[in-house]
Amino acid sequence: MNPWDSPDLLGSGRIAAHAVPRAPGVPLDGSWRFQLLPSPVSPVGEQWGSITVPGTWTTQHPGDLPWYTNVTHPWPGNPAIVPAKNPTGVYERDVTVPAGWAGQRIVLHVGAAESVLIATVDGVPAGMGKDSHLATELDVTALVTPGGTHTIRLTVVKWSDATVLEDQDQWWHGGLTRSVYLYATNPVHLADVRVTASASGRLVVDARVTTTGDRLPDGWAVAATLDGAAVPLDQEFDLQQRADERVSDWLGLPRLRADLPGVTPWSAENPVRYPLTVTVLDAGGTVLDSVSLKVGFRDVRVDGRDLLINGERVFIRGVNRHDFDPLTGRTVTEEQVRAELSLMKQYGFNAIRTSHYPNAPMVLDLADELGLYVVAEANIETHDHAHEIAGDPRYLPAFVDRVSRMVCRDRNHPSVIIWSLGNESDYGVNHDAAAAWIRHDDPTRPIQYEGAIRDDWDGGAHAGDIVCPMYPSLDAIVSWAADPGRTRPLIMCEYSHAMGNSNGSLAEYWAAIESTPGLQGGFIWEFWDHGILQRLSDGLPAGPAAGPQWSSGAAAPGYRWAYGGDFGDAPHDGTFCADGLVFPDRTPKPGMAEHRELASPVRLTLAGDVVTVTNRQHFNGLSWLAAAWEITSADGTIAVLPVVLPQVAAGESGILPAPQVPPGDAETWATLRLTSAVDMPWAPEGTEIARPQVRLRAEGRSFPTGSGLPAGAGLPAVVVGDDGVLRHPLLVAGPVLSLWRAPTDNDRIAGHGERWRDLASLTRTHLHIDRSADRTVVENRYGDVIHVQTVTAAPGGLTVTDEITIPDTRDDLPRVGVVLETVPGFDTLSWYGHGPGETYPDRTAGGPIGAYTSSVDRAFTPYLRPQESGGRHGVRVLTLTGPAGTLTLHPDTPRQISATRFRAADLDAATHHDALVPRATTVVHLDAAHRGVGTASCGPDTRAPYRIGPGLHRLTWTLRGVGQPS
Ligand code: GAL
């Protein structure tokens, strides 16, 4: 009868899950007495430490540290046979129950316990519960005396029969991860309230009134108001109830109902909610219980190949979200979640999937408030044992319990548009049982489950109304949708794996989604890089008390972002937990900018002197946006012109006169800087929303001076050493062939990293130098790779042509280009090209073309495991400046360039950032070709057009410089 090894024991003494929000009457967050025992059967000792609740003990106690595995279950063999070594946290504190609670029903609410909770009050069992991401509520009325002081003990057992259901790809922790409190109600109370509110204005409120006594008091009644106006009882329903002999004395199921055709429907774009109050009264009109909710009126339904929100086929621009924090592990605050969801909104997301469990309740409250559609997912991932468990009758109750308790908790949220049965748990009868429960209980929402369609995108209909594959190739979804016989919408539950330098070809996915009937979007994997802040001095988690120790994505000196293995955890899956769009401190990575532009509410096309402005939203007009044209060329911003946007409805287009092209023949772009014109709940006025752009004039091919060098200035005489390498006073290393990049996570996991390793240090097998009066031609051979470099003098500098011949035997390379290294003292880079962030050939949408400046130190993205980064795509001219002078590189055509403090080998050698030592010099890569970043760490490799084939690659560039090596 151990609760931790009985799969059929899900809880004991638990109050049924419900959607009635109950405010803490006595908050119990804060410091608790704590002991970490080696097992749940170990005796509790005399010595108590202390711990912060809510929080994981794994980030607060050195006795049991975080452990990261993706698929691997924590112990081998039968998952229901729980290991004897089983960290168990005993939490204890004293609480004084308010004297005013005499006669009330008193409930202990434990927000979440990982993975089994056992509660006692003064040593008397109060109950137990499982599911690490749902609350356990226990009626403790009989165990406490109002006015008295009692000892609450919460024992949390880490490993259990339920661990197999919680085998998600994330850190294993232990502890009480959400708030604990007591609340009190009248014995006669609202056990639940179910709100059904449709966009038409129909409101149905089904209450469940019950009592802890034998029968409800005679003459009890229920009343409700919406926005202050009464919602009447549904008399017909009420009469039926009264006549129905099956309705018991202890339970009332009243229905209230109103038709309010004037309501504004809720949508992610316009998340309007109305306050609803439901009250239970006694015969004398005294209020016995009352709850307040916020109601959003909206419809969701699947109609053939379309998922419709309020009748509209809304694109799902989603992201997968875990409860995550780098100090606490999983405990989040409302302030953090608000900042997180606001950031998602600012970057164009309109949906989250609560991967892979019910997220903290405030996440859904905030999704309702800020406007995000939610796929609410149940806490079921049996990954390592998926096949056995999907049909294991011992686990049938747990499947239905986890799914149904989630639905009961979350059903009143307008943001929740789809229920998900869980993740990566194969597909079996247990899923169908859980799906059947939802189909009966909540026919208002569709269901999805990836496992049900994994092997057959046309199968699994009982458990899925949506075809929700993970990481499909673009070709696979497009060809699937090409068959008009398909009957369900396709919305990818995971795609565009954001691990390290990634999210290649997101623009192509979106081009396909927006143009292919049946494709309706997806959820990027994932939002967070799950790096835990680790102190370098002792290797322990910094823990909640450390406070923020980070900046701009990087951990502060003395700390690092830990990933699998860093706490001595084994086996582990290394950096695979660092696969998000934001760093652990919520700093956006480049994939965020890419998404933002693709999701822009406004799209532009230029024809002649007219710009067509299309409102890409589904519901809103453009009045919430302010706009200004920024006219830019290589010399910077030429003009900023305010714009009055045409006021066009969602889906409609209007026109604007194209801004005047300035005189001259320089390439010129007009970028529409869109900002919020008013304070939005998720974006204060002036927040940048997107930067769509049009090219006003193509390049006239005049050679921009860029550097501001005086005519004829520069360093004389081209010198090529006898080693065949260009000498230049501002370079410590001249331009030599570079075919390698520090493997990205995608490169490494796809096996390219190893395949390309010999490119890291090329051995020259042949050198021939041909010097003539006006040029030096150097022929280098590195085995079968030929690099011919021709250097000629040019006004103010020199011109270099690199002709690189790649043999057929090497048909897929990371890069083909040259690398050089400046003297120290070049600290700033300016460029004209994609920016301001990092861009790569298959990830350019997020970087409008413009004139940008960055410090060299910052022109680099601190991915958790150092890798190729800092690339700038489509660079027309690059200028380095600093105390050492000015150095300008001007390629023949827009090229991939980077200028950072690191050589590829430096990045490759470091496993974490703290191990990187920035050079004083600046390392510049100039590429004739650079392989796209793709998403191969989980999902499709770089698409064919972004791979580098054999043959001749040619690159011409000028180098001009003035200055003094310091
Ligand atoms: C999916 C899984 C996620 C995560 C991802 C890879 O298969 O659902 O939880 O593991 O792959 O990062």
Side-chain angles (χ1 to χ4, degrees):
M1 288 295 289
N2 295 323
W4 54 87
D5 61 11
S6 308
D8 50 348
L9 185 53
L10 308 173
S12 159
R14 291 183 307 181
I15 289 173
H18 57 81
V20 173
R22 297 288 184 184
V26 177
L28 297 175
D29 288 351
S31 184
W32 285 56
R33 297 191 289 277
F34 182 73
Q35 292 189 29
L36 186 66
L37 306 181
S39 91
V41 293
S42 309
V44 176
E46 300 288 310
Q47 294 296 316
W48 293 90
S50 70
I51 200 162
T52 299
V53 174
T56 52
W57 71 62
T58 31
T59 58
Q60 298 184 66
H61 194 293
D64 184 36
L65 296 178
W67 176 17
Y68 169 57
T69 66
N70 171 9
V71 176
T72 309
H73 189 265
W75 62 89
N78 187 336
I81 301 177
V82 176
K85 198 170 158 234
N86 187 0
T88 298
V90 184
Y91 296 75
E92 215 179 75
R93 70 172 279 172
D94 301 327
V95 55
T96 302
V97 177
W101 284 5
Q104 301 271 291
R105 161 188 175 251
I106 300 170
V107 177
L108 170 64
H109 172 105
V110 180
E114 197 153 336
S115 68
V116 179
L117 171 76
I118 302 163
T120 63
V121 177
D122 300 331
V124 180
M128 56 81 45
K130 295 179 189 171
D131 192 331
S132 298
H133 302 279
L134 285 175
T136 294
E137 290 193 328
L138 305 169
D139 185 333
V140 294
T141 315
L143 303 180
V144 297
T145 311
T149 298
H150 300 276
T151 301
I152 296 181
R153 178 181 289 184
L154 303 177
T155 301
V156 181
V157 184
K158 185 169 181 183
W159 306 128
S160 68
D161 56 82
T163 300
V164 73
L165 300 167
E166 302 186 351
D167 187 15
Q168 290 97 353
D169 174 6
Q170 60 175 343
W171 292 97
W172 296 102
H173 286 294
L176 294 168
T177 56
R178 295 185 192 149
S179 287
V180 180
Y181 53 88
L182 293 175
Y183 67 82
T185 72
N186 194 287
V188 176
H189 61 277
L190 284 157
D192 205 357
V193 172
R194 177 193 300 243
V195 179
T196 314
S198 68
S200 66
R202 165 140 307 181
L203 172 69
V204 178
V205 180
D206 284 300
R208 192 178 172 86
V209 182
T210 191
T211 174
T212 54
D214 284 342
R215 49 176 295 142
L216 291 169
D218 288 340
W220 69 272
V222 68
T225 57
L226 186 89
D227 216 4
V231 181
L233 204 62
D234 182 332
Q235 298 291 353
E236 199 182 324
F237 186 86
D238 199 49
L239 283 175
Q240 279 170 12
Q241 291 275 309
R242 284 172 203 271
D244 189 340
E245 288 170 1
R246 294 170 303 175
V247 177
S248 314
D249 293 342
W250 56 273
L251 182 67
L253 300 170
R255 169 173 288 181
L256 304 107
R257 181 191 186 107
D259 281 302
L260 307 156
V263 296
T264 304
W266 184 97
S267 69
E269 288 177 22
N270 196 16
V272 175
R273 296 179 301 162
Y274 297 85
L276 172 77
T277 303
V278 183
T279 306
V280 182
L281 308 138
D282 68 11
T286 303
V287 173
L288 302 176
D289 194 12
S290 180
V291 301
S292 295
L293 299 164
K294 286 200 173 133
V295 175
F297 290 79
R298 64 108 186 83
D299 297 331
V300 53
R301 78 191 156 91
V302 172
D303 183 4
R305 307 174 74 180
D306 299 331
L307 172 72
L308 302 176
I309 307 290
N310 302 339
E312 288 294 316
R313 180 175 175 260
V314 167
F315 287 123
I316 299 298
R317 302 182 187 275
V319 61
N320 281 278
R321 178 194 183 279
H322 274 280
D323 284 336
F324 171 76
D325 177 85
L327 297 176
T328 65
R330 309 201 201 293
T331 298
V332 293
T333 64
E334 187 194 325
E335 188 191 359
Q336 285 171 314
V337 176
R338 183 178 289 280
E340 176 189 351
L341 302 195
S342 296
L343 194 72
M344 291 175 186
K345 293 277 292 183
Q346 289 172 16
Y347 281 79
F349 290 97
N350 69 357
I352 55 175
R353 169 173 174 244
T354 65
S355 57
H356 298 300
Y357 43 79
N359 284 185
M362 68 189 78
V363 173
L364 297 186
D365 292 335
L366 286 161
D368 290 349
E369 178 192 328
L370 301 173
L372 285 162
Y373 304 114
V374 175
V375 172
E377 188 151 281
N379 182 17
I380 301 175
E381 176 162 340
T382 57
H383 210 152
D384 205 6
H385 293 280
H387 192 61
E388 306 114 79
I389 303 295
D392 185 335
R394 289 175 306 165
Y395 282 95
L396 169 65
F399 273 63
V400 178
D401 182 69
R402 286 167 182 248
V403 167
S404 63
R405 292 180 77 239
M406 167 184 74
V407 173
C408 290
R409 188 192 78 163
D410 294 339
R411 65 163 102 253
N412 290 338
H413 289 281
S415 57
V416 175
I417 58 165
I418 297 168
W419 300 117
S420 163
L421 303 178
N423 188 58
E424 296 191 313
S425 302
D426 209 313
Y427 178 40
V429 64
N430 292 349
H431 291 102
D432 278 351
W437 188 92
I438 304 180
R439 297 238 182 257
H440 189 106
D441 180 78
D442 181 19
T444 71
R445 291 178 176 92
I447 300 177
Q448 71 176 49
Y449 173 53
E450 185 267 343
I453 56 95
R454 181 170 278 224
D455 298 333
D456 173 9
W457 287 7
D458 289 317
H462 184 67
D465 303 312
I466 288 158
V467 178
C468 52
M470 49 171 72
Y471 311 106
S473 73
L474 184 51
D475 300 340
I477 59 173
V478 169
S479 67
W480 183 86
D483 180 345
R486 307 298 185 196
T487 54
R488 292 177 289 183
L490 187 149
I491 300 171
M492 296 170 282
C493 71
E494 296 176 26
Y495 81 114
S496 197
H497 196 247
M499 183 176 185
N501 190 348
S502 189
N503 304 106
S505 287
L506 194 59
E508 284 145 304
Y509 272 85
W510 274 95
I513 290 163
E514 292 183 359
S515 60
T516 310
L519 303 184
Q520 217 178 318
F523 296 81
I524 291 180
W525 187 265
E526 64 170 308
F527 189 70
W528 287 106
D529 264 359
H530 297 229
I532 292 181
L533 192 74
Q534 182 181 32
R535 221 167 21 231
L536 291 172
S537 56
D538 57 8
L540 293 177
Q549 301 284 349
W550 50 67
S551 113
S552 309
Y559 295 88
R560 68 176 180 181
W561 298 128
Y563 49 75
D566 288 344
F567 295 112
D569 43 324
H572 66 82
D573 288 292
T575 47
F576 207 60
C577 57
D579 53 1
L581 288 166
V582 300
F583 286 97
D585 70 348
R586 217 191 299 116
T587 298
K589 291 162 65 178
M592 287 285 272
E594 188 77 358
H595 186 270
R596 191 185 80 166
E597 291 308 322
L598 295 172
S600 170
V602 168
R603 201 155 295 169
L604 306 179
T605 48
L606 173 69
D609 52 8
V610 169
V611 177
T612 301
V613 175
T614 304
N615 177 352
R616 299 282 310 158
Q617 299 167 103
H618 296 285
F619 302 104
N620 284 350
L622 298 180
S623 60
W624 65 282
L625 291 167
W629 285 120
E630 280 181 15
I631 315 299
T632 47
S633 74
D635 292 329
T637 301
I638 301 165
V640 177
L641 313 166
V643 176
V644 178
L645 288 173
Q647 289 308 314
V648 288
E652 307 281 309
S653 298
I655 56 168
L656 281 177
Q660 281 216 317
V661 192
D665 67 349
E667 180 187 11
T668 308
W669 289 79
T671 306
L672 192 68
R673 187 160 178 269
L674 294 165
T675 52
S676 49
V678 290
D679 281 339
M680 310 289 285
W682 47 273
E685 181 188 338
T687 304
E688 190 167 279
I689 302 298
R691 288 177 157 241
Q693 62 174 184
V694 291
R695 187 162 69 172
L696 294 179
R697 181 170 51 218
E699 190 177 14
R701 263 295 24 144
S702 71
F703 230 43
T705 54
S707 62
L709 290 180
L715 295 143
V718 173
V719 182
V720 172
D722 288 341
D723 59 356
V725 180
L726 177 72
R727 301 283 189 275
H728 188 290
L730 295 178
L731 302 184
V732 295
V736 296
L737 180 67
S738 173
L739 301 180
W740 191 62
R741 68 185 182 196
T744 63
D745 289 318
N746 288 332
D747 294 344
R748 189 172 48 88
I749 291 173
H752 303 313
E754 275 316 297
R755 192 160 63 78
W756 292 332
R757 192 134 293 273
D758 69 317
L759 302 174
S761 49
L762 297 168
T763 307
R764 189 161 57 193
T765 52
H766 167 90
L767 170 67
H768 178 77
I769 306 176
D770 189 354
R771 300 177 198 272
S772 60
D774 65 339
R775 70 184 53 207
T776 303
V777 181
V778 182
E779 185 187 330
N780 300 285
R781 283 175 188 253
Y782 304 86
D784 48 7
V785 175
I786 306 166
H787 175 206
V788 178
Q789 191 171 61
T790 305
V791 186
T792 54
L798 43 92
T799 299
V800 182
T801 296
D802 294 287
E803 291 166 301
I804 301 155
T805 307
I806 304 296
D808 290 348
T809 47
R810 297 195 181 260
D811 66 347
D812 182 11
L813 299 179
R815 70 162 19 119
V816 176
V818 292
V819 60
L820 54 87
E821 196 173 335
T822 71
V823 296
F826 285 110
D827 299 331
T828 303
L829 71 143
S830 312
W831 73 101
Y832 188 54
H834 288 283
E838 183 189 271
T839 47
Y840 281 85
D842 58 351
R843 200 186 65 219
T844 62
I849 289 163
Y852 300 104
T853 295
S854 165
S855 78
V856 175
D857 290 345
R858 303 289 295 268
F860 169 76
T861 311
Y863 296 113
L864 263 60
R865 193 188 60 80
Q867 55 195 278
E868 161 64 30
S869 80
R872 300 294 189 275
H873 189 67
V875 174
R876 282 87 164 141
V877 58
L878 173 90
T879 302
L880 297 169
T881 51
T886 300
L887 198 59
T888 299
L889 267 84
H890 184 234
D892 46 356
T893 185
R895 298 288 185 180
Q896 182 81 20
I897 294 187
S898 64
T900 70
R901 297 288 186 214
F902 305 105
R903 284 196 167 261
D906 303 340
L907 299 171
D908 182 51
T911 59
H912 294 73
H913 255 270
D914 58 287
L916 277 178
V917 182
R919 291 172 185 253
T921 59
T922 301
V923 178
V924 179
H925 275 276
L926 172 58
D927 292 329
H930 194 108
R931 194 182 198 265
V933 290
T935 62
S937 51
C938 187
D941 198 354
T942 301
R943 288 175 54 73
Y946 305 103
R947 297 191 200 166
I948 303 176
L952 175 65
H953 297 265
R954 200 165 188 279
L955 170 70
T956 296
W957 48 289
T958 63
L959 179 72
R960 292 139 185 246
V962 280
Q964 283 303 319
S966 50

